[in-house]
Amino acid sequence: MSDQSSSPTSSDEDVDPESEQTDELGGTLSKWTNYIHGWQDRWVVLKNNTLSYYKSEDEREYGCRGSLCLSKAVITPHEFDECRFDVSVNDSVWYLRAEDPDLRQQWIDTIELHKAESGYGSESSLRHHGSMLSLTSAASGLSTTSTSSFRKGHSLREKLAEMETFRDILCRQVDTLQRYFDNCASGDYRDEYHRDKVEDDEDDFPSTRPDGDYLLNNNSSKEKLFPMTRGPTGIDFKGEAITFKATTAGILSTLSHCIEIMVKREESWQKRLDKEMERRRRAEEAYKSALTELKKKSHYGGPDYEEGPNSLINEDEFFDAVEAALDKQDKFEEQVGLSHFHASSLSSLDLVSASDDVHRFSAQVEEMVHSHMTYSLQDVGGDANWQLITEEGEMKVYRREVEENGVVLDPLKATHAVRGVTGHEVCHYFWDTAFRNDWETTVEHFNVVETLSDTAVIIYQTLKRVWPASQRDILYLSVIRKILSTNENEPNTWLVCNFSVDHDSYPPTSRCIRAKINVAMICQTLVSPPEGNKEISRDNILCKITYVANVNPGGWAPASVLRAVARREYPKFLKRFTSYVQEKTSDDAILF
């Protein structure tokens, strides 16, 4: 199944803003199901602040498979996967993938917009829920963070109001005293002028009387009365001075009290800050601890714990999980046994024969066959650096350690000797897809893509997934050949060669990692003469097998895991396959 997705589309072309909440948006996304089935295409619908998904668009009438309310949902784009985003509500998490980063962004924007317009997560929605506290703080120009801090602010505000009152009183007192001083200064100037005038004209003007407008001078003549300037009337200078002193003292006292309150408030806020910092520190420690514990658990079914460049599973946990899955598979195979083998015998089948059919891959086939006949049959000694990793009876498995860009490319070579079967029979069962499911236990599905000739086919197959490893698929050309011996003392050779090719009908997909292979099964039949005039029986034949595998698994599986799996699985495969051939041919006539 290819990884497909579509952008969210509305059911109506013209969307009314007033009715937008009832509109339905839908599209196809890949959703992580579980570690067995991995990513699966699902029809995802966004409606009425709810995100729902269905198995497909055609199956909507059967009801949704699940839904999430977006009220408290958190949408998180994945840090490394450009096509993935996660939608989480508390402990429920949906892992979703779009076809490309642009479509992912469209989905995220659409969900966030829908969530905001529903009254959640948008700044505009907050304005609909005003409070007395926010209105009060806005009117006063002072900000408060809680009702408790608002109550604590009363004493400080009262003192500030007192300061305003003291300021008004002090201003009036200053104005009064200033007028007094101005009048006093004006009165002193007139008194001095009056004294100078009297001295100059005392012989010409009578003196004024205290009780009259004119006074008689020594010559009993009258003089004009001048008013006496005693300063502004009705001002109690002493009282005003006392009041001024009291006002300034009140201001100083209030200022002192304000400073004391602010110091206390500062201490209170410092305590709050310390508590908040401590709470955050504990939260960070709890988060780190939870993350550490999470990384220790290897059997989480989420996509973050499968094989990948940023997998949360470590190498040891990866190996343990793979080994447990393979053990389970072995147990199942033991229970099933060989009961699923077909009943048809080799004698009733037409074995393939060597041919030189020409097709578009003929040149490549000839090159591969020549390479295997030249190098694969060489002895494992010398400077080839082959290491013996397994030996069971006649079977020996060798390996050369090769890595390229961190990917394990170890060539493997196995030699085996099986009695009672011919090289032709072994290669036939290995090549003919009609018997593939009888002995191959690692293949989930396969099909013949193209038949090039009677002896050459192109095959596509997907391998069974072993979690946490990603699923692999292979597209390869399989050809069977008979190589005639140039020396009459040496037997003929049968060969099956499987090597990766490309085909337009089966391009690589994101669901599987495309592995590359170059595998050869090379068989020779040795016959020991029977005693006397007896006919040759299966007891007189021996098949020498050389199996060579060059595999590039791709992906990010740890090297130690790949080598351990190869060491375990290749000998099992060879024993299982040869046992199958022996059982299938035990009652048949010998066919060379």
Side-chain angles (χ1 to χ4, degrees):
M1 185 181 298
S2 61
D3 186 6
Q4 298 176 348
S5 63
S6 60
S7 58
T9 58
S10 175
S11 58
D12 297 325
E13 293 183 0
D14 298 325
V15 179
D16 184 3
E18 296 298 329
S19 62
E20 190 169 358
Q21 287 305 309
T22 62
D23 289 342
E24 181 177 296
L25 305 174
T28 302
L29 289 173
S30 293
K31 182 179 181 296
W32 176 265
T33 54
N34 51 56
Y35 72 84
I36 297 177
H37 298 95
W39 296 98
Q40 298 291 330
D41 286 346
R42 294 291 181 260
W43 180 257
V44 182
V45 174
L46 182 61
K47 183 179 181 181
N48 295 333
N49 196 39
T50 301
L51 192 67
S52 308
Y53 79 91
Y54 304 81
K55 187 174 181 180
S56 65
E57 185 177 7
D58 298 333
E59 297 188 12
R60 293 186 56 191
E61 60 184 13
Y62 301 114
C64 69
R65 294 293 187 91
S67 62
L68 289 177
C69 180
L70 298 178
S71 302
K72 297 182 180 180
V74 179
I75 296 88
T76 308
H78 196 263
E79 184 178 0
F80 305 106
D81 190 343
E82 295 181 348
C83 297
R84 174 183 153 191
F85 64 98
D86 303 340
V87 182
S88 59
V89 178
N90 297 328
D91 296 333
S92 179
V93 183
W94 286 9
Y95 307 103
L96 303 173
R97 287 187 92 252
E99 187 176 14
D100 53 58
D102 293 336
L103 283 178
R104 180 189 78 166
Q105 192 59 44
Q106 289 183 27
W107 271 99
I108 294 175
D109 294 341
T110 302
I111 294 174
E112 290 286 7
L113 179 62
H114 193 89
K115 177 181 175 182
E117 291 175 349
S118 300
Y120 298 94
S122 65
E123 294 180 0
S124 60
S125 65
L126 297 178
R127 293 199 273 277
H128 299 311
H129 308 285
S131 63
M132 180 276 293
L133 188 59
S134 62
L135 293 175
T136 304
S137 61
S140 64
L142 300 173
S143 61
T144 56
T145 57
S146 65
T147 55
S148 60
S149 62
F150 181 76
R151 288 192 297 270
K152 290 180 180 179
H154 280 323
S155 59
L156 183 60
R157 294 191 181 193
E158 291 172 357
K159 291 302 176 182
L160 291 175
E162 289 181 9
M163 293 286 291
E164 291 287 338
T165 303
F166 281 135
R167 186 195 66 177
D168 294 340
I169 295 174
L170 192 61
C171 288
R172 289 196 298 269
Q173 290 175 345
V174 169
D175 292 339
T176 302
L177 292 176
Q178 186 63 46
R179 287 197 305 272
Y180 178 83
F181 292 138
D182 291 342
N183 290 335
C184 288
S186 177
D188 292 341
Y189 171 78
R190 282 181 291 179
D191 288 344
E192 183 178 354
Y193 175 81
H194 174 66
R195 285 195 300 271
D196 293 342
K197 190 69 174 178
V198 169
E199 291 177 358
D200 293 338
D201 301 331
E202 60 179 357
D203 294 336
D204 301 327
F205 296 94
S207 300
T208 59
R209 294 184 179 180
D211 56 352
D213 293 333
Y214 293 91
L215 292 176
L216 294 175
N217 56 17
N218 295 330
N219 299 326
S220 299
S221 62
K222 292 182 179 181
E223 61 180 2
K224 189 174 177 61
L225 180 64
F226 287 91
M228 299 183 66
T229 58
R230 298 175 55 193
T233 60
I235 297 178
D236 184 1
F237 178 77
K238 184 176 180 180
E240 291 294 338
I242 293 173
T243 305
F244 182 82
K245 182 178 179 181
T247 303
T248 53
I251 291 175
L252 294 176
S253 176
T254 304
L255 282 174
S256 177
H257 190 74
C258 288
I259 293 174
E260 182 180 353
I261 292 176
M262 287 188 287
V263 169
K264 291 181 178 179
R265 292 289 298 277
E266 181 182 7
E267 293 175 353
S268 175
W269 281 109
Q270 185 62 44
K271 291 179 180 178
R272 289 189 182 185
L273 178 61
D274 294 341
K275 290 181 179 179
E276 179 66 19
M277 295 297 292
E278 179 66 17
R279 187 186 68 81
R280 292 190 179 186
R281 185 186 65 80
R282 292 179 180 177
E284 290 178 359
E285 290 180 354
Y287 170 76
K288 292 179 180 178
S289 176
L291 189 61
T292 302
E293 291 296 323
L294 196 62
K295 288 182 177 181
K296 292 181 180 179
K297 299 179 181 179
S298 60
H299 296 286
Y300 278 82
D304 293 325
Y305 290 87
E306 65 175 348
E307 174 189 351
N310 306 295
S311 176
L312 297 181
I313 191 170
N314 60 43
E315 187 170 328
D316 292 337
E317 294 167 342
F318 196 106
F319 177 81
D320 292 341
V322 169
E323 189 175 41
L326 293 177
D327 288 340
K328 185 176 180 180
Q329 183 174 317
D330 291 345
K331 187 175 181 180
F332 175 77
E333 292 175 7
E334 290 176 2
Q335 293 174 351
V336 174
L338 302 178
S339 61
H340 61 289
F341 290 165
H342 295 304
S344 58
S345 64
L346 191 63
S347 60
S348 63
L349 299 173
D350 294 329
L351 268 69
V352 295
S353 59
S355 64
D356 295 322
D357 295 334
V358 177
H359 46 79
R360 67 179 185 278
F361 291 100
S362 294
Q364 196 171 353
V365 168
E366 293 301 325
E367 181 182 352
M368 289 294 178
V369 171
H370 177 74
S371 175
H372 283 297
M373 292 300 296
T374 303
Y375 301 106
S376 298
L377 294 177
Q378 289 181 352
D379 188 72
V380 294
D383 298 330
N385 293 324
W386 288 101
Q387 302 174 8
L388 180 64
I389 58 174
T390 302
E391 182 175 6
E392 293 184 31
E394 296 290 337
M395 182 176 60
K396 296 180 179 180
V397 181
Y398 302 87
R399 177 183 67 199
R400 283 194 296 114
E401 293 190 359
V402 177
E403 288 190 28
E404 184 176 319
N405 297 325
V407 178
V408 175
L409 304 176
D410 295 353
L412 283 111
K413 183 175 183 178
T415 60
H416 196 19
V418 182
R419 290 195 173 274
V421 295
T422 66
H424 189 184
E425 293 167 340
V426 172
C427 287
H428 173 79
Y429 281 108
F430 185 70
W431 178 82
D432 196 339
T433 57
F435 304 97
R436 183 64 52 86
N437 286 329
D438 289 349
W439 55 267
E440 180 61 272
T441 61
T442 62
V443 174
E444 179 179 85
H445 170 76
F446 80 92
N447 63 287
V448 177
V449 177
E450 182 179 352
T451 301
L452 300 174
S453 68
D454 293 340
T455 59
V457 292
I458 296 179
I459 300 172
Y460 172 78
Q461 68 184 34
T462 56
L463 305 178
K464 292 180 180 178
R465 187 182 181 199
V466 180
W467 189 85
S470 299
Q471 191 170 26
R472 260 82 174 169
D473 63 358
I474 312 172
L475 181 65
Y476 62 94
L477 188 153
S478 181
V479 61
I480 184 171
R481 278 291 183 87
K482 180 180 180 180
I483 311 298
L484 298 177
S485 175
T486 57
N487 188 340
E488 62 179 9
N489 295 324
E490 294 181 359
N492 296 329
T493 302
W494 280 89
L495 175 144
V496 175
C497 182
N498 299 337
F499 59 92
S500 293
V501 294
D502 295 325
H503 199 280
D504 294 338
S505 300
Y506 287 84
T509 67
S510 60
R511 295 195 178 278
C512 294
I513 296 175
R514 180 64 56 87
K516 301 292 184 180
I517 66 169
N518 183 4
V519 176
M521 177 78 75
I522 307 171
C523 301
Q524 293 177 327
T525 305
L526 303 180
V527 180
S528 58
E531 297 179 359
N533 295 325
K534 294 181 180 180
E535 294 183 357
I536 297 177
S537 67
R538 291 195 175 273
D539 294 334
N540 301 118
I541 60 177
L542 178 71
C543 180
K544 291 181 61 177
I545 300 174
T546 301
Y547 180 78
V548 179
N550 293 273
V551 179
N552 181 352
W556 302 270
S560 61
V561 176
L562 291 174
R563 290 191 171 107
V565 170
R567 182 173 183 172
R568 165 180 170 152
E569 294 301 309
Y570 275 102
K572 283 173 50 182
F573 149 71
L574 204 53
K575 288 175 62 178
R576 181 175 64 247
F577 173 68
T578 54
S579 297
Y580 166 77
V581 177
Q582 284 178 314
E583 182 172 339
K584 290 288 289 182
T585 60
S586 60
D587 298 329
D588 297 335
I590 302 174
L591 296 175
F592 293 94

